[in-house]
Amino acid sequence: MSELTHLDADGRARMVDVGGKPITRRVAIAEGRLDTTAEVVELVRSDSLKKADVLPTARIAGISGAKRTSELIPLCHIVPLDSVAIDFDFDEAAVTIRATATTTGRTGVEMEALTAVAVAGLTLHDMVKAVDPAASLGGIRLVEKRGGKRGVWRADA
Amino acid sequence: MSELTHLDADGRARMVDVGGKPITRRVAIAEGRLDTTAEVVELVRSDSLKKADVLPTARIAGISGAKRTSELIPLCHIVPLDSVAIDFDFDEAAVTIRATATTTGRTGVEMEALTAVAVAGLTLHDMVKAVDPAASLGGIRLVEKRGGKRGVWRADA
Amino acid sequence: MSELTHLDADGRARMVDVGGKPITRRVAIAEGRLDTTAEVVELVRSDSLKKADVLPTARIAGISGAKRTSELIPLCHIVPLDSVAIDFDFDEAAVTIRATATTTGRTGVEMEALTAVAVAGLTLHDMVKAVDPAASLGGIRLVEKRGGKRGVWRADA
Amino acid sequence: MSELTHLDADGRARMVDVGGKPITRRVAIAEGRLDTTAEVVELVRSDSLKKADVLPTARIAGISGAKRTSELIPLCHIVPLDSVAIDFDFDEAAVTIRATATTTGRTGVEMEALTAVAVAGLTLHDMVKAVDPAASLGGIRLVEKRGGKRGVWRADA
Amino acid sequence: MSELTHLDADGRARMVDVGGKPITRRVAIAEGRLDTTAEVVELVRSDSLKKADVLPTARIAGISGAKRTSELIPLCHIVPLDSVAIDFDFDEAAVTIRATATTTGRTGVEMEALTAVAVAGLTLHDMVKAVDPAASLGGIRLVEKRGGKRGVWRADA
Amino acid sequence: MSELTHLDADGRARMVDVGGKPITRRVAIAEGRLDTTAEVVELVRSDSLKKADVLPTARIAGISGAKRTSELIPLCHIVPLDSVAIDFDFDEAAVTIRATATTTGRTGVEMEALTAVAVAGLTLHDMVKAVDPAASLGGIRLVEKRGGKRGVWRADA
């Protein structure tokens, strides 16, 4: 079990000590996708043409979610985020969510970017579920991270 | 935009009024899946044989996340949950997460079950990310719901 | 000090016992006003014509704030809100914020409506403060309440 | 819309990147006023003579509120506050609230001081509303800020 | 492990289903004790004679803590508390804390009363720790509970 | 009242200004004890042999509680914890809880370690209360602290 850094030698959960790690600028980009119907994408997209609150609501939820990562994920550290931004894109029957989080600190912000995507996606789910109860949120994964000991990491395309 | 119930006639977000809805027993079951590597599944599974904290940590995070749904999802109501339970299952290279939430109230608990799955999945992601940074959380969707005006709904298999 | 219901006979703060009060539908409407400059009102208003996130951000913050009233105001009860809605209106150099909150419960939702107005107003303040650091948030007061022992109450116009 | 720093070029809300800003000592002082009746001011003032919990309750609520600013105001950063203090003063029919917040960080604490005033004021409102439902909270504005790129700023008297 | 109701037959943690339990009035009283020095008790007691904020701060923290029990204790339900009150008493070198919580609901409020005592006690600890770092918080236990299936229970004296 | 650092000269509560204190590595260790019955200790201990969730649930609750200290204890600063770990030990009729917290910051983490112990202890209490409603949580005290102006401090054994 020693490969899982969040466990001690006896397999007990703990918050890993980051006190000895250097303070560096760190960036993480994550994305995910809400698979729904073409009808729902039409409703949500029109929001970026006309004046409606679907995407801003999901965006604010995602940004707020990123700030609460350490409350949601038990072994995450409290990270003072420098910035969070969330973008949406559209396929015929899917909304893509992309979040970028940065910090200047001792630990990375992968979980903050992933949490932003998940919470923004759940919020979209909430708003479309009366029309499409079968909507599915998926592909929540890290796309890129920079900073810290390992430098740059990018997901395979 | 009138099809999206969380928006008023002008497209503005609001918390929908549930005051006139009857108090009934409601159940929602949601699931999702963390796609990772066979090595990681081995590490996590061994947790259900030996004594380690991976799955309990994700389970507690998911239960706690369900209770915080109304804080995370802007237009969700505060729902007094009767119960929350989370189960894990294993494929060769994936962990399946299933959450069941119930309430006796005026509104359903779909978002509570979905949030439980997402937060438990993010917590697994956090614990395996040093070994598998490419892990992907997906298929977060409603499987079944019961109670309320529309009775029973089940996702296609 | 006996006139202040949140204090006991010795002047000690307590959460007043609402266990004996009837469950009734209750409504509260509150409003407030951010006094700023004509330039800022122009920037914010254009948001209701063009596509920008100022008002949705303040609206979502206000709705979320209403749900957290019992965490912010020490002697407030946890109230399961049936609905929250927030509207904005514009004068030449001011933005008016109006919040309506409802519940079906044992205690009123005045503080929830007032908190929604205050948090929405602080969020507007945050977004305009680089342009107008002298903006002032005021007139936060109850406009109307219905339900409960005292029936309908309306503020003087 | 480019004048509103919390929006990107497309008008989308985001948490502004403060990673490049220097760490400096920053101070913000805000104030506000609860307009009520002479009778209520008498009740509340007597609290500073006799032994009652009105002002300590509002003070603790304001300090706690300042620490939660980043949870309430969607685009605010998590700021590690160095200190928060809250003072009350009295007119014939009004209570004045003044909050001072400091940090050593990359971004100012204006919103923390303003939130402290608003939450302390709402808490007073809660405690006096049975006696004076028409009480009004206003004049919530920044009085002074120091530190950061722009140095000292003071409101006109 | 079947005797521990918070675990299922496989020993997994879950939120127990309270949906079938009747709604009744329930009361819980808990107490605890901060053991410190006579000097500190003198400082804290004088607070109940003169005008200082030690006891109100601990009292407000305890009431707020009771409202957050379901966030702190993973398997606790969200309980709409009817009331919370906290009293302090003094021995020569100890402060006794007593909390009473009530609800009208499907599950008891023992944990809410115990959490109120613990958080009020920790807050006292925080305020006296510079003078007495060896202060010890103990005897946190249930004194009495009423309501629900088992009726009245009282601790041995 | 000047000996209590959290009060100003007038006895008013405030968050003490730590802006002038140096950033150093700080460690705090706290412990406490749940006194219960030999039967309950047997049930809980078996958890460290067989596969059950009692201790992981309490451990995760304690770690999460440590991260929320500044929300629970009104005058505590927001501290970016470097690490938190919690250990359990067993007597015939008691479970001992020990928490270690560290930070690299301007203020100590005594309250974070104490809060971790209290919340882990309350969570154990919650899980055993159906079997032993008379369980008592006590001896919550600081064992050791290092770092900051006063260097090393150890409790008498």
Side-chain angles (χ1 to χ4, degrees):
Chain A
M1 193 59 57
S2 61
E3 289 100 339
L4 296 185
T5 52
H6 291 59
L7 303 183
D8 67 16
D10 295 324
R12 304 290 179 244
R14 55 173 179 177
M15 252 175 81
V16 175
D17 194 344
V18 299
K21 297 174 75 175
I23 292 178
T24 62
R25 170 79 168 182
R26 294 154 190 273
V27 179
I29 305 173
E31 69 172 27
R33 196 181 62 248
L34 185 74
D35 288 304
T36 177
T37 66
E39 178 205 7
V40 163
V41 171
E42 202 54 42
L43 281 171
V44 172
R45 277 203 91 162
S46 73
D47 174 56
S48 56
L49 307 173
K50 287 188 262 159
K51 286 289 317 162
D53 284 359
V54 178
L55 297 177
T57 299
R59 185 180 289 117
I60 292 304
I63 291 172
S64 296
K67 290 193 280 186
R68 311 189 73 164
T69 301
S70 71
E71 294 181 35
L72 293 172
I73 314 298
L75 305 176
C76 272
H77 295 80
I78 298 173
V79 173
L81 289 162
D82 284 344
S83 70
V84 184
I86 295 182
D87 293 303
F88 299 102
D89 207 346
F90 303 95
D91 289 333
E92 194 202 323
V95 182
T96 302
I97 306 146
R98 178 175 279 240
T100 304
T102 67
T103 193
T104 307
R106 290 193 163 83
T107 184
V109 286
E110 297 95 307
M111 291 315 301
E112 281 71 15
L114 289 162
T115 300
V117 169
V119 175
L122 289 169
T123 301
L124 285 178
H125 209 306
D126 180 39
M127 287 189 281
V128 310
K129 73 177 191 296
V131 183
D132 179 18
S136 174
L137 177 62
I140 302 175
R141 62 188 189 113
L142 199 59
V143 173
E144 181 178 328
K145 63 174 188 146
R146 299 199 293 272
K149 200 170 53 184
R150 298 183 216 190
V152 177
W153 178 92
R154 279 198 189 84
D156 297 335
Chain B
M1 193 58 59
S2 60
E3 289 98 341
L4 297 185
T5 51
H6 290 59
L7 304 184
D8 66 16
D10 295 324
R12 305 288 178 244
R14 55 174 180 177
M15 252 175 83
V16 175
D17 194 345
V18 299
K21 298 173 75 175
I23 293 179
T24 62
R25 172 77 168 183
R26 294 153 190 275
V27 179
I29 305 172
E31 70 172 26
R33 197 181 63 248
L34 185 73
D35 287 303
T36 176
T37 65
E39 177 206 6
V40 164
V41 171
E42 202 54 43
L43 282 169
V44 172
R45 277 201 91 161
S46 73
D47 175 55
S48 56
L49 308 172
K50 286 190 264 159
K51 286 289 316 163
D53 285 358
V54 177
L55 296 177
T57 300
R59 184 180 290 117
I60 293 303
I63 291 171
S64 297
K67 290 194 280 185
R68 312 188 71 165
T69 301
S70 71
E71 294 182 36
L72 292 171
I73 314 298
L75 305 178
C76 273
H77 296 79
I78 299 173
V79 173
L81 288 162
D82 283 346
S83 69
V84 184
I86 295 182
D87 293 302
F88 300 101
D89 207 346
F90 303 94
D91 289 333
E92 195 202 325
V95 183
T96 302
I97 306 146
R98 177 176 279 241
T100 303
T102 67
T103 194
T104 307
R106 291 193 162 81
T107 183
V109 286
E110 297 96 306
M111 293 314 302
E112 281 70 14
L114 289 162
T115 300
V117 169
V119 174
L122 289 169
T123 301
L124 286 178
H125 209 307
D126 180 40
M127 286 188 283
V128 310
K129 73 178 192 294
V131 182
D132 179 18
S136 175
L137 177 63
I140 302 175
R141 62 188 189 115
L142 199 60
V143 173
E144 181 179 327
K145 62 173 187 147
R146 296 199 296 271
K149 200 170 52 183
R150 298 183 216 189
V152 177
W153 177 93
R154 277 198 191 85
D156 298 335
Chain C
M1 193 58 61
S2 61
E3 288 98 340
L4 296 185
T5 53
H6 290 59
L7 303 184
D8 66 15
D10 295 325
R12 304 291 178 240
R14 55 173 179 177
M15 253 176 81
V16 175
D17 194 345
V18 299
K21 296 174 76 176
I23 293 179
T24 61
R25 171 78 167 181
R26 294 153 190 274
V27 179
I29 305 172
E31 69 173 25
R33 196 181 62 247
L34 185 73
D35 288 302
T36 176
T37 65
E39 177 204 5
V40 164
V41 171
E42 202 54 43
L43 282 169
V44 172
R45 278 202 92 162
S46 72
D47 175 56
S48 55
L49 307 174
K50 288 190 261 158
K51 286 290 316 164
D53 284 359
V54 178
L55 297 178
T57 300
R59 185 181 288 117
I60 294 303
I63 292 172
S64 297
K67 290 193 280 185
R68 311 189 72 165
T69 301
S70 70
E71 294 181 35
L72 293 171
I73 313 298
L75 305 177
C76 272
H77 296 80
I78 299 174
V79 173
L81 288 162
D82 284 344
S83 70
V84 185
I86 296 182
D87 294 301
F88 299 101
D89 206 346
F90 303 94
D91 289 332
E92 194 204 323
V95 183
T96 302
I97 306 147
R98 178 176 278 240
T100 304
T102 67
T103 193
T104 306
R106 289 193 165 81
T107 184
V109 286
E110 297 95 306
M111 292 315 300
E112 282 70 15
L114 289 163
T115 300
V117 168
V119 175
L122 288 168
T123 301
L124 286 178
H125 208 308
D126 180 40
M127 287 189 282
V128 310
K129 72 178 190 293
V131 182
D132 179 19
S136 175
L137 176 63
I140 302 175
R141 62 186 190 116
L142 199 60
V143 172
E144 183 178 327
K145 64 173 187 148
R146 297 199 294 273
K149 200 171 51 184
R150 298 184 216 188
V152 178
W153 178 92
R154 278 197 191 87
D156 297 334
Chain D
M1 194 59 58
S2 61
E3 288 100 338
L4 296 185
T5 52
H6 290 59
L7 304 184
D8 67 16
D10 295 324
R12 305 291 178 242
R14 56 174 179 176
M15 252 176 80
V16 175
D17 194 346
V18 300
K21 296 174 77 175
I23 293 178
T24 61
R25 171 77 169 183
R26 293 154 191 272
V27 179
I29 305 172
E31 68 172 28
R33 197 182 61 248
L34 186 74
D35 287 303
T36 177
T37 65
E39 177 203 6
V40 163
V41 170
E42 202 54 42
L43 282 169
V44 172
R45 277 202 91 161
S46 73
D47 175 56
S48 55
L49 306 172
K50 287 189 261 157
K51 286 288 315 165
D53 284 358
V54 178
L55 297 177
T57 299
R59 186 182 287 117
I60 293 304
I63 291 172
S64 296
K67 290 193 279 185
R68 310 190 73 164
T69 301
S70 71
E71 294 182 35
L72 293 172
I73 314 297
L75 306 176
C76 271
H77 296 79
I78 299 173
V79 172
L81 288 162
D82 283 346
S83 69
V84 184
I86 295 182
D87 293 302
F88 299 101
D89 208 345
F90 303 95
D91 289 332
E92 194 203 323
V95 182
T96 302
I97 306 147
R98 178 175 279 240
T100 304
T102 67
T103 193
T104 307
R106 290 193 163 82
T107 184
V109 287
E110 296 95 308
M111 292 314 302
E112 282 72 14
L114 288 163
T115 300
V117 169
V119 175
L122 289 168
T123 301
L124 285 178
H125 209 307
D126 180 40
M127 287 190 281
V128 310
K129 72 178 190 295
V131 182
D132 179 18
S136 174
L137 177 63
I140 302 176
R141 62 188 189 115
L142 199 59
V143 172
E144 181 178 327
K145 63 175 186 145
R146 299 199 294 272
K149 201 171 50 184
R150 299 184 215 187
V152 177
W153 179 92
R154 277 198 191 86
D156 296 334
Chain E
M1 194 59 59
S2 61
E3 289 99 339
L4 296 186
T5 52
H6 290 59
L7 303 184
D8 66 16
D10 295 323
R12 306 290 179 241
R14 55 173 178 176
M15 250 175 82
V16 175
D17 194 344
V18 299
K21 298 173 76 176
I23 293 179
T24 61
R25 170 79 168 182
R26 293 152 190 275
V27 178
I29 305 172
E31 69 173 26
R33 196 182 61 249
L34 186 74
D35 287 303
T36 177
T37 64
E39 177 205 5
V40 164
V41 171
E42 202 54 44
L43 281 170
V44 172
R45 276 202 91 160
S46 72
D47 175 55
S48 56
L49 307 173
K50 286 189 264 159
K51 287 288 317 163
D53 285 357
V54 178
L55 296 177
T57 300
R59 185 180 289 119
I60 293 302
I63 292 172
S64 297
K67 291 194 278 184
R68 310 190 72 165
T69 301
S70 71
E71 295 180 35
L72 293 171
I73 313 299
L75 305 177
C76 273
H77 296 80
I78 299 173
V79 173
L81 289 162
D82 284 344
S83 69
V84 184
I86 296 181
D87 293 303
F88 299 101
D89 206 346
F90 303 95
D91 288 334
E92 194 202 324
V95 182
T96 303
I97 306 147
R98 177 174 279 239
T100 304
T102 67
T103 193
T104 307
R106 291 193 163 82
T107 184
V109 287
E110 296 95 306
M111 292 314 302
E112 282 70 14
L114 289 162
T115 300
V117 169
V119 175
L122 289 169
T123 301
L124 286 178
H125 208 308
D126 180 40
M127 287 188 282
V128 311
K129 73 178 190 296
V131 182
D132 179 19
S136 175
L137 176 63
I140 302 175
R141 61 187 190 115
L142 199 60
V143 173
E144 181 179 328
K145 63 173 186 148
R146 299 199 295 271
K149 200 171 52 185
R150 297 183 216 190
V152 177
W153 178 93
R154 277 198 191 84
D156 297 335
Chain F
M1 193 59 60
S2 62
E3 287 99 340
L4 297 185
T5 52
H6 290 59
L7 304 183
D8 67 15
D10 295 323
R12 306 289 179 242
R14 55 172 181 179
M15 253 176 80
V16 174
D17 195 345
V18 299
K21 296 174 76 175
I23 292 179
T24 61
R25 171 78 168 183
R26 293 155 191 274
V27 179
I29 304 172
E31 69 173 27
R33 195 181 64 248
L34 186 74
D35 287 302
T36 176
T37 65
E39 177 204 7
V40 164
V41 171
E42 204 53 44
L43 282 169
V44 172
R45 277 203 90 161
S46 73
D47 175 55
S48 56
L49 306 172
K50 287 189 263 157
K51 285 290 316 163
D53 285 359
V54 178
L55 296 177
T57 299
R59 185 181 288 116
I60 293 303
I63 292 172
S64 297
K67 290 193 278 185
R68 310 190 73 164
T69 302
S70 70
E71 295 181 36
L72 293 171
I73 314 299
L75 305 177
C76 272
H77 295 81
I78 298 173
V79 172
L81 288 161
D82 284 345
S83 70
V84 184
I86 295 181
D87 294 302
F88 299 101
D89 207 346
F90 304 94
D91 288 333
E92 196 204 322
V95 183
T96 302
I97 306 147
R98 177 175 281 239
T100 304
T102 66
T103 193
T104 308
R106 289 193 164 84
T107 184
V109 286
E110 297 95 308
M111 292 314 301
E112 281 71 15
L114 289 163
T115 300
V117 169
V119 174
L122 288 169
T123 300
L124 286 178
H125 209 307
D126 180 40
M127 288 189 282
V128 311
K129 73 178 190 293
V131 182
D132 179 18
S136 174
L137 176 63
I140 302 175
R141 63 189 189 115
L142 199 60
V143 172
E144 182 178 328
K145 62 174 189 147
R146 298 198 296 272
K149 200 171 54 183
R150 299 183 215 189
V152 177
W153 178 92
R154 277 197 193 86
D156 297 334

